[in-house]
Amino acid sequence: MYKILIADDHPLFREAICNVIGGGFPGSELLETCDLDSALAIAREQDDLDLILLDLNMPGMHGLNGLITLRNESPSIPVVIVSAEEDKQVVLQAITYGAVGFITKSSPRAQMTEAIEQILDGNVYLPSDIIRANHTITRRNPEEYPISPELLYALTRKQLLVLERMAKGESNKQIAYHLDIAETTVKAHVSAILRKLNVHNRVQAILSASDVDFSAYLRR
């Protein structure tokens, strides 16, 4: 079960996305909104969100500026852009500015379900033509986001344990279960990890940590 915010100003599309998520991830809790201001408010109040599906062109967004604002205010909540926009440069800029994926509204239902599943598993999702044109962006490219030993040593033992499980693709709920801590505590650790590693989002942290030998740091 996941808790997902759908932020889009078209009721019919929100309904369609709800149906996609309901079919692919039964039992998930879905929240809906139609503009950036209310999306920001919900993200502040519901800090246990697993994902935000964000329309690029709804009121208040001003293109990618809205994404930047949301990422700055709620850095621990993954955000995926869902848009009719298919310009490759815009798609890649969205990832650069902190989105964990980009789903085009023209995508078939099965493709949307697969995309959301990949994102919830901790991967970056891009439309297939973008991947073909720009190679693959996955969490198995640590050179994209190099991480120094000094930054890792700045993490507490508990933060290292959280990061290790993030790198395995675990959700906050799974991490909380395995480490026997509250999910709100996991989110606090994630925020601290992002800050200490100087990365903008969860995916970049995962990219950075994909090849780290955590046992070496946890022995200290």
Side-chain angles (χ1 to χ4, degrees):
M1 290 177 58
Y2 296 100
K3 189 173 186 178
I4 299 174
L5 171 61
I6 301 168
D8 193 291
D9 62 332
H10 291 91
L12 285 176
F13 185 75
R14 291 202 306 272
E15 181 180 353
I17 282 289
C18 285
N19 288 335
V20 169
I21 296 173
F25 311 92
S28 294
E29 180 181 351
L30 302 179
L31 294 81
E32 298 181 42
T33 189
C34 60
D35 58 60
L36 178 63
D37 286 343
S38 55
L40 290 168
I42 292 172
R44 284 191 293 266
E45 295 166 3
Q46 309 277 342
D47 64 354
D48 59 342
L49 286 169
D50 292 297
L51 185 64
I52 298 175
L53 299 174
L54 188 68
D55 178 27
L56 197 57
N57 297 310
M58 70 179 180
M61 283 294 291
H62 305 295
L64 291 169
N65 288 327
L67 168 64
I68 295 170
T69 301
L70 184 57
R71 297 299 302 127
N72 286 337
E73 290 207 15
S74 301
S76 66
I77 303 175
V79 179
V80 57
I81 296 295
V82 183
S83 176
E85 178 66 63
E86 297 190 16
D87 180 82
K88 293 181 180 180
Q89 200 57 42
V90 174
V91 174
L92 294 175
Q93 281 181 340
I95 300 299
T96 300
Y97 292 152
V100 298
F102 198 108
I103 301 173
T104 57
K105 290 187 176 181
S106 60
S107 302
R109 180 189 182 103
Q111 187 176 334
M112 283 192 176
T113 302
E114 180 185 354
I116 294 170
E117 182 175 12
Q118 285 189 29
I119 292 161
L120 289 170
D121 283 344
N123 295 303
V124 176
Y125 176 84
L126 294 178
S128 57
D129 59 331
I130 301 295
I131 293 177
R132 285 196 298 270
N134 298 278
H135 308 295
T136 303
I137 298 180
T138 70
R139 60 185 196 176
R140 292 304 170 197
N141 284 330
E143 67 275 6
E144 294 287 336
Y145 300 97
I147 183 171
S148 69
E150 291 77 16
L151 292 178
L152 286 170
Y153 278 119
L155 300 180
T156 66
R157 177 179 177 81
K158 189 66 76 173
Q159 288 165 359
L160 282 168
L161 290 170
V162 170
L163 179 59
E164 181 179 26
R165 293 200 169 273
M166 285 169 59
K168 294 177 180 178
E170 292 187 6
S171 67
N172 286 350
K173 285 185 175 67
Q174 291 171 318
I175 295 171
Y177 174 79
H178 287 129
L179 298 183
D180 195 23
I181 56 178
E183 194 174 340
T184 53
T185 303
V186 174
K187 285 189 172 290
H189 283 317
V190 171
S191 294
I193 289 167
L194 300 185
R195 185 178 65 254
K196 289 183 178 182
L197 296 186
N198 296 321
V199 293
H200 298 295
N201 58 51
R202 185 188 189 94
V203 173
Q204 289 180 353
I206 292 170
L207 286 165
S208 301
S210 59
D211 282 354
V212 170
D213 179 7
F214 283 95
S215 62
Y217 293 92
L218 290 168
R219 280 198 301 266
R220 72 174 193 260

